Amino acid sequence: MKNINHNIKVLIADDHEIFRDGLKLMLSKADKIELVGEAANGKELIKLIETTSPDVVVTDIKMPMMDGVEATKKIKEQYPAIEVIALSMFDDEELILEMLDAGAKGYLLKNSDKFEITDAVTTVYEGNTYYCKHTSSKLAKLIALSRENKEKKKKEAEFTEKEIEIIRLICQEFTNKEIGEKVFLSSRTVEGYRMKIMEKLKAKNTVGIVIEAIRLGFYHPE
């Protein structure tokens, strides 16, 4: 069990200095997060880990000398306790999948705000996976199917028929109010179901629900 009482030590890597400066500024304003270093490429990142001992690494995917995928593989081989979050300029499906396969616990688009970055860092530090809230439906499906063979865990018994019905409606992007009208429940009751579903699936947002629902066979997108 990780110590949640001390600051989460974060190391960042990106070859664009302006972006690193912006990310540093955002992280400096976040509670319980301590920036311990910055790198301009994957090789620098690996070297810095030895001296900074971060809890979480936030790294760009595309970098010179050593990219984020290769760096992540080395990190997980040499320092398995360190969690990695991938940064992508665009919703690049194949590269994000490669990062997750390499061992990254989550990913963010570079236009993510301070609150989402902080949430992602805290989530992966606690051992859970973080999916960017701006994830496309195509990428969500690709992630779910790529993880399906690796994690063939069936959880049907943990969910009631009503919960599975609500999961499917969430996956179809209905609001709490719309779901309530379909299942004859109040919006507030649906919100309660949604929170319980997220807890059971260890999901942090709707994207996480969709990915796990596809993986577990609760939802089959077109």
Side-chain angles (χ1 to χ4, degrees):
M1 185 72 180
K2 290 183 177 177
N3 184 357
I4 58 172
N5 293 318
H6 75 70
N7 288 346
I8 303 170
K9 295 191 290 184
V10 177
L11 178 60
I12 62 174
D14 192 284
D15 57 321
H16 293 98
E17 187 176 359
I18 292 175
F19 179 78
R20 289 202 312 273
D21 287 345
L23 187 54
K24 282 191 294 183
L25 184 62
M26 281 194 283
L27 290 173
S28 70
K29 296 177 180 178
D31 292 333
K32 296 285 185 181
I33 290 178
E34 175 189 353
L35 183 65
V36 294
E38 58 179 292
N41 57 63
K43 283 194 173 181
E44 278 187 22
L45 172 61
I46 299 300
K47 283 184 180 178
L48 269 175
I49 286 175
E50 296 176 16
T51 55
T52 59
S53 302
D55 298 306
V56 176
V57 166
V58 181
T59 179
D60 191 10
I61 302 176
K62 296 178 180 178
M63 293 186 294
M65 299 180 75
M66 183 190 293
D67 65 17
V69 176
E70 189 60 32
T72 298
K73 287 177 183 175
K74 288 185 180 296
I75 291 168
K76 297 312 290 183
E77 284 171 8
Q78 298 172 30
Y79 311 97
I82 296 175
E83 303 297 0
V84 179
I85 296 172
L87 282 170
S88 177
M89 180 66 81
F90 306 105
D91 211 353
D92 196 326
E93 284 88 358
E94 292 305 319
L95 285 176
I96 290 170
L97 284 174
E98 282 186 46
M99 283 294 285
L100 292 173
D101 284 342
K105 267 285 195 179
Y107 67 91
L108 292 164
L109 296 186
K110 286 192 173 183
N111 62 358
S112 299
D113 59 36
K114 177 185 75 174
F115 302 104
E116 185 167 22
I117 292 170
T118 304
D119 197 18
V121 168
T122 304
T123 299
V124 301
Y125 174 71
E126 292 173 349
N128 300 312
T129 305
Y130 190 92
Y131 303 110
C132 178
K133 65 184 180 185
H134 300 294
T135 301
S136 67
S137 55
K138 177 187 174 186
L139 179 56
K141 182 179 177 182
L142 286 172
I143 293 170
L145 296 177
S146 73
R147 291 166 64 84
E148 189 176 30
N149 293 329
K150 294 179 183 177
E151 304 174 32
K152 210 66 172 174
K153 299 173 186 171
K154 285 294 178 184
K155 292 188 175 182
E156 287 91 337
E158 294 182 23
F159 294 86
T160 65
E161 287 184 17
K162 182 65 73 178
E163 285 172 338
I164 293 173
E165 182 181 9
I166 290 173
I167 286 171
R168 288 173 179 153
L169 292 169
I170 289 171
C171 291
Q172 294 170 63
E173 299 183 25
F174 288 108
T175 65
N176 287 347
K177 184 174 183 292
E178 291 167 335
I179 293 172
E181 289 170 356
K182 289 179 179 293
V183 298
F184 308 106
L185 294 171
S186 69
S187 296
R188 190 169 182 176
T189 301
V190 172
E191 178 62 20
Y193 269 102
R194 183 187 286 265
M195 297 306 292
K196 190 172 182 182
I197 287 165
M198 287 173 67
E199 186 180 342
K200 284 186 175 184
L201 292 174
K202 295 185 177 177
K204 290 295 291 184
N205 51 32
T206 301
V207 175
I209 292 175
V210 173
I211 289 171
E212 289 303 300
I214 296 171
R215 187 175 69 79
L216 293 168
F218 293 157
Y219 176 65
H220 304 280
E222 295 300 323

